[in-house]
Amino acid sequence: MTVLEQPGSYRPSPPPAWQPRTDPAPLLPDAEPYRLLGTDAADGLDPDLLRRLYGQLVRGRRYNTQATALTRQGRLAVYPSSAGQEACEVAAALALEERDWLFPSYRDTLAAVVRGLDPVQALTLLRGDWHTGYDPHEHRVAPLCTPLATQLPHAVGLAHAARLKGDDVVALAMVGDGGTSEGDFHEALNFAAVWRAPVVFFVQNNGFAISVPLAKQTAAPSLAHKAVGYGMPGRLVDGNDAAAVHQVLAEAVRRARAGGGPTLVEAVTYRIDAHTNADDATRYRSDAEVEAWRAHDPIALLERELTRRELLDDAAIRDEQEAAERMAADLRERMNQDPVLDPMELFTHVYAEQTAQLREQAAQLRAELTAAGELPGPLEGGPQEGRQR
């Protein structure tokens, strides 16, 4: 006989002592994505911030088109474009303070560049050359994460450790809608909420996990609603409204820094380009759908607002476009240089101190390269410099 089968043990409802641990009402996201551009609230937005967002959006779009072209030319092995999602990328980087950490996914190289990372270093991993391609500590940008959602528990761990040390640090972790179907996503949210870790989870819902639409991944009202089950606020925002995304993320960062715990932000946006250069998006979506989203382009939305408020004219638009072209030309020139590869770098930065097994393997490789006369000389300036000639 089980406990429930014993006389008097069955109760048709929970015992009176049961109460919700958290009132769910304040955690629920808005019924519609939050917007600023085109509303009365836009008049109160900081002009300097709007102009900065606009400049970064224009350069970000050009960065995406140039990186895509480099892939077609064979200079990159793969490039997951964020064209159409630039508002999310730019806002995520600008919402953080210098001391904070950004945890990007493989599609978020633009966010890393806006954070201050050299564009060539941001693309090094996608070139198939040299580990991460940059020093994560320099700009507080974690390594680009190709496995889905595995960066989220890392962000929680860093933020929790920083708080235990007394460091005033917030981690912002970026993930796609496909990543929300991974176990790492749920584990990270649960740990963050229980520990009240200073983390912002930023989901870019661009409609598809490669070819799988969101409706085949979840039956939830929105991805932002998933926050409630973990006891954190969920925010739903128009991911093509750069001002709204920046405001929502900045508020979530401030809340985390003040000890309020994590927030899950879902930005509803769209992937204009294919998943990567290896994907044929025409097999699972229509041209009409793509064109409908082009009409909601983040650059056009912000440009319209700035023009309406007489904060942007034709000359300023040309200046931003010319700056973007200079950035693209520099990126193109440096990426067209053949890298100088040193096979011994396979063993660099695997561990702070090499294990005996790695030392043995490195010695074996060095001996083989020396015997073949293929061991290159030391590179000037360390591993991050002098890699191209």
Side-chain angles (χ1 to χ4, degrees):
M1 178 181 293
T2 67
V3 173
L4 291 179
E5 291 171 335
Q6 293 177 0
S9 63
Y10 174 74
R11 297 182 178 88
S13 61
W18 180 88
Q19 293 292 333
R21 294 180 58 85
T22 304
D23 180 6
L27 306 181
L28 289 169
D30 296 334
E32 295 290 331
Y34 178 70
R35 296 180 178 89
L36 281 175
L37 299 179
T39 71
D40 293 339
D43 291 334
L45 296 172
D46 179 7
D48 291 336
L49 173 62
L50 292 180
R51 283 190 288 258
R52 187 181 182 195
L53 287 169
Y54 178 76
Q56 292 289 0
L57 287 181
V58 172
R59 285 188 286 277
R61 177 64 54 81
R62 189 65 185 90
Y63 168 83
N64 270 311
T65 57
Q66 184 60 71
T68 299
L70 288 168
T71 306
R72 292 171 180 158
Q73 296 162 9
R75 288 296 179 178
L76 289 176
V78 66
Y79 182 65
S81 174
S82 59
Q85 302 176 218
E86 291 93 350
C88 296
E89 300 284 307
V90 170
L94 297 186
L96 295 173
E97 300 290 340
E98 185 177 352
R99 60 188 180 276
D100 297 329
W101 275 81
L102 179 71
F103 282 77
S105 75
Y106 58 86
R107 195 177 299 279
D108 302 320
T109 55
L110 175 56
V113 170
V114 176
R115 180 85 170 139
L117 195 63
D118 184 308
V120 172
Q121 291 185 348
L123 294 173
T124 296
L125 176 66
L126 301 175
R127 192 177 194 170
D129 171 25
W130 208 81
H131 300 300
T132 297
Y134 56 88
D135 178 2
H137 290 275
E138 182 179 0
H139 298 288
R140 298 206 164 193
V141 177
L144 294 173
C145 190
T146 301
L148 293 184
T150 56
Q151 72 274 22
L152 305 186
H154 300 164
V156 176
L158 182 141
H160 181 58
R163 191 181 65 171
L164 292 177
K165 292 171 60 180
D167 294 340
D168 189 17
V169 168
V170 173
L172 190 152
M174 306 178 72
V175 67
D177 48 290
T180 65
S181 295
E182 296 290 327
D184 297 82
F185 172 82
H186 302 280
E187 292 156 10
L189 265 64
N190 195 55
F191 273 119
V194 171
W195 289 339
R196 297 183 66 82
V199 183
V200 177
F201 299 101
F202 184 36
V203 179
Q204 295 180 80
N205 176 7
N206 63 20
F208 295 91
I210 306 183
S211 60
V212 179
L214 185 67
K216 292 187 176 181
Q217 288 194 75
T218 180
S222 74
L223 295 174
H225 277 79
K226 293 181 181 290
V228 183
Y230 297 99
M232 69 178 71
R235 297 295 307 274
L236 185 64
V237 62
D238 183 342
N240 288 20
D241 184 334
V245 178
H246 183 273
Q247 184 180 99
V248 169
L249 289 178
E251 288 174 355
V253 168
R254 286 193 294 269
R255 178 178 178 274
R257 200 183 312 280
T263 302
L264 173 64
V265 177
E266 176 191 356
V268 181
T269 183
Y270 195 77
R271 193 186 74 215
I272 293 297
D273 291 342
H275 178 70
T276 68
N277 53 297
D279 174 41
D280 180 8
T282 62
R283 299 184 64 179
Y284 55 83
R285 67 183 189 184
S286 67
D287 292 340
E289 178 178 308
V290 177
E291 290 306 312
W293 275 95
R294 288 188 189 278
H296 195 58
D297 184 272
I299 298 177
L301 290 177
L302 188 50
E303 188 173 295
R304 189 178 304 130
E305 181 66 32
L306 287 167
T307 303
R308 182 187 70 81
R309 293 177 58 180
E310 298 183 348
L311 298 172
L312 190 71
D313 56 21
D314 290 343
I317 292 174
R318 284 195 302 272
D319 288 344
E320 294 293 356
Q321 291 173 343
E322 289 171 0
E325 287 300 325
R326 289 193 296 272
M327 177 275 300
D330 177 71
L331 175 60
R332 184 169 58 248
E333 178 183 357
R334 291 193 289 146
M335 288 297 292
N336 280 333
Q337 300 174 25
D338 291 330
V340 178
L341 303 179
D342 180 0
M344 295 305 301
E345 288 183 352
L346 285 169
F347 306 97
T348 304
H349 302 315
V350 179
Y351 293 100
E353 296 182 10
Q354 286 192 348
T355 63
Q357 185 180 37
L358 277 181
R359 288 196 298 270
E360 180 181 350
Q361 292 174 355
Q364 180 180 349
L365 178 59
R366 181 178 295 277
E368 293 175 358
L369 292 172
T370 301
E374 297 177 357
L375 186 65
L379 298 176
E380 296 179 0
Q384 291 296 324
E385 300 177 14
R387 293 188 50 75
Q388 295 173 334
R389 295 176 184 168

